[in-house]
Amino acid sequence: MRYLFLGAGAVGGTIGGRLHQSGHDVVLVARGPHLTALRKDGLRLTTPDGTHQLPVPAIGGPEEIELTPDDVLVLAVKTQHSAELLDQWAPRPVAGGGTAAERLPLVCAQNGVENERLALRRFARVYGMCVWLPSTHLEPGRVSAAGSPRSGMLHLGRYPQGTDNLAHRISADLAASFFDSPVTDRVMDWKYAKLLGNLANALEAVAGPIDGELRSQVWQRVQAEGEAVLAAAGITHPSVDEQHATRGDRVTLVPLDGEQRAGGSSWQSLVRGTGDIEADWLNGEIVLLGRLYNVATPINAALQRLAGTFAREGRPAGSLPEADLAALLDL
């Protein structure tokens, strides 16, 4: 199989780079300065076992490659960029007849729970992947992943549910490439559990690390709103204890030589000045479900708005004044 990573940032770069290291056929799809750096020098992947300069092929879009029936598309961008890429790749012809949407599997290696629905509108075979992968992408051509002894844990399954032979083949490739990849017939349960954890992304992005009494209080309220919404919607998910038991000490963060551990994906978006952020699809998912099931979600809604404002206005990550943060508790 050949893996095409539609998105070569922290997640796509790490998974694609590790698969490449293990001898698998990988192509990274990127844009702008990141694409330029990948084409010039390859991918610089820093992990606990060292820094690796990997000559992974990189392209800018579907017009630069001929698709084959053995290709697996891996969508690894933030949700706000999913529809554009899906529209670009779905109609592309595949050798032997048919289109990518008709013939090729597409794996959503992304946070949030909306990407699979977006993909299934266009692609016949969609797989969800719950990405537990501490990784950082702040500079063109460079990605770091601090997990050890495994780089990450990637639950995988068919969407909306079920498993098949391809899921097990992908899982086997990942297991041989520094990942644990349990195959599950209810992958979205794991993705909803991850969603609850990702509600912290916007808080960290605008207010900084979640430490101290004030930030901890806000985080507890954010999480409580999320739990209440999922309960009202009847959405099941693994408990925190079950998640910890599954991961165990398989993905432990360790210091990387020459690398400073950055914040999460939303924090990284603000630092890179991308102009957009994923809060609409994380905290915004809780707000949406709250409106559907008549559950109040004022703090998630406030963080959704704040994160969007920070991204659009280019405000520095973690710069929310303490008084504004404290005001969230009065909502």
Side-chain angles (χ1 to χ4, degrees), residues 27 30 149 192 238 294 298:
V27 177
Y192 273 104
N294 197 31

Side-chain angles (χ1 to χ4, degrees), residues 152-193:
M153 181 163 289
L154 310 172
H155 283 79
L156 178 68
R158 284 292 297 263
Y159 178 79
Q161 60 188 25
T163 65
D164 60 15
N165 288 335
L166 180 62
H168 286 278
R169 289 178 62 195
I170 296 171
S171 172
D173 287 350
L174 292 169
S177 306
F178 305 94
F179 297 100
D180 284 347
S181 183
V183 176
T184 172
D185 61 357
R186 297 190 63 84
V187 69
M188 296 309 293
D189 286 11
W190 285 93
K191 297 200 73 165
Y192 273 104

Side-chain angles (χ1 to χ4, degrees), residues 73-215:
L73 304 180
V74 183
L75 191 60
V77 294
K78 294 182 175 65
T79 309
Q80 62 267 28
H81 304 298
S82 290
E84 178 183 1
L85 283 173
L86 292 168
D87 287 343
Q88 288 176 3
W89 287 85
R92 299 302 298 183
V94 176
T99 66
E102 295 167 330
R103 298 192 61 190
L104 299 186
L106 183 133
V107 180
C108 295
Q110 301 161 284
N111 288 332
V113 294
E114 183 66 16
N115 298 288
E116 288 78 7
R117 294 185 75 249
L118 294 172
L120 200 61
R121 292 178 186 274
R122 299 159 173 85
F123 283 79
R125 281 192 294 162
V126 175
Y127 297 75
M129 178 180 284
C130 180
V131 178
W132 183 267
L133 173 58
S135 54
T136 301
H137 167 55
L138 296 176
E139 300 177 40
R142 300 182 61 173
V143 171
S144 63
S148 179
R150 310 295 274 170
S151 289
M153 181 163 289
L154 310 172
H155 283 79
L156 178 68
R158 284 292 297 263
Y159 178 79
Q161 60 188 25
T163 65
D164 60 15
N165 288 335
L166 180 62
H168 286 278
R169 289 178 62 195
I170 296 171
S171 172
D173 287 350
L174 292 169
S177 306
F178 305 94
F179 297 100
D180 284 347
S181 183
V183 176
T184 172
D185 61 357
R186 297 190 63 84
V187 69
M188 296 309 293
D189 286 11
W190 285 93
K191 297 200 73 165
Y192 273 104
K194 182 73 177 343
L195 172 66
L196 289 175
N198 286 140
L199 299 181
N201 289 20
L203 176 58
E204 178 193 51
V206 302
I210 302 175
D211 53 18
E213 184 177 354
L214 177 57
R215 286 170 179 77

